[in-house]
Amino acid sequence: MKTPPIVPPQEWEAARQELLVEEKRLTRARDALAAKRRRMPWTAVEKAYEFDGPEGRVSLLDLFAGRRQLIVYRAFHEPGVFGWPDHACRGCSMVADHVGHLAHLNARNTTLVFASRAPQPDIERVKARMGWTMPWYTITDTFDADFGVDEWHGTNAFIRDGNGDSVYRTYFINARGDEALGSTWSYLDMTALGRQEAWEESPEGYPQTPPYEWWNWHDAYGDDAEPALEWLARTRQGPRGRRD
């Protein structure tokens, strides 16, 4: 293997700073792309899709769990998939392994679920074996075919109209696009409302709060924990600036 040159620390730091310029340019481009997603048109979901869950039959609207936004990853766990019935497909399993703690997404009024064609007993067995805790439902109709994930994996984003029953599809990521998903940030960046932080370029009237203010330990959302910005100000540490 032909390795890069070995250089003194000062030369290494100069090279890192040069590359950092490109990395910040990429970060700004990624932010701009997410802003364009927030301006994508929506399309209404007209069909009444149904899924089997741990507690029985549920609708697409039920998958929101009362929240405004829904992200659905179509994972291949079904007869005919390599690893069946002991495993979901290897790629989808890697995606599942990368999912962060869902409490942070939930705090931004967003629900993430997985969906497959495997029956619930098979899904629950594999979840227990692999240590996965995300909600995982069984597709019972044409949901996968209608949303571009019947022959390949993919992630669809939906939003509901306030507290109403109208559901809209807002975005779709598949193929190598799924590689970047897993963190709270990457999932929020594909949604119609984004991270909902004040620095984002979003349409007028979109929900936004100061960055860091809503952050919390995953087991402390909803309690009386001190907001992150207040704690940082009181300890005089100051919040880290957004990397741009």
Side-chain angles (χ1 to χ4, degrees), residues 96-108:
D97 283 338
H98 283 81
V99 173
H101 202 290
L102 297 184
H104 304 297
L105 275 177
N106 297 164
R108 293 279 88 177

Side-chain angles (χ1 to χ4, degrees), residues 104-123:
H104 304 297
L105 275 177
N106 297 164
R108 293 279 88 177
N109 212 8
T110 302
T111 297
L112 170 70
V113 305
F114 277 39
S116 299
R117 285 204 167 269
Q120 279 296 297
D122 294 298
I123 289 174

Side-chain angles (χ1 to χ4, degrees), residues 123-205:
I123 289 174
E124 291 301 320
R125 184 182 66 254
V126 169
K127 284 178 62 178
R129 173 176 181 168
M130 303 300 287
W132 298 327
T133 59
M134 71 284 286
W136 198 320
Y137 294 90
T138 301
I139 300 168
T140 66
D141 46 36
T142 60
F143 175 87
D144 47 2
D146 293 346
F147 291 102
V149 289
D150 57 327
E151 296 180 354
W152 195 239
H153 61 83
T155 309
N156 280 281
F158 302 91
I159 195 168
R160 64 190 184 107
D161 187 11
N163 294 321
D165 293 340
S166 298
V167 176
Y168 305 91
R169 188 191 193 194
T170 62
Y171 204 66
F172 174 58
I173 290 177
N174 68 350
R176 288 196 63 193
D178 281 326
E179 291 179 359
L181 299 177
S183 73
T184 299
W185 316 121
S186 61
Y187 279 126
L188 290 176
D189 282 347
M190 73 166 291
T191 66
L193 301 181
R195 304 184 187 192
Q196 303 161 55
E197 294 185 341
W199 62 268
E200 289 181 302
E201 183 188 344
S202 293
E204 183 178 356

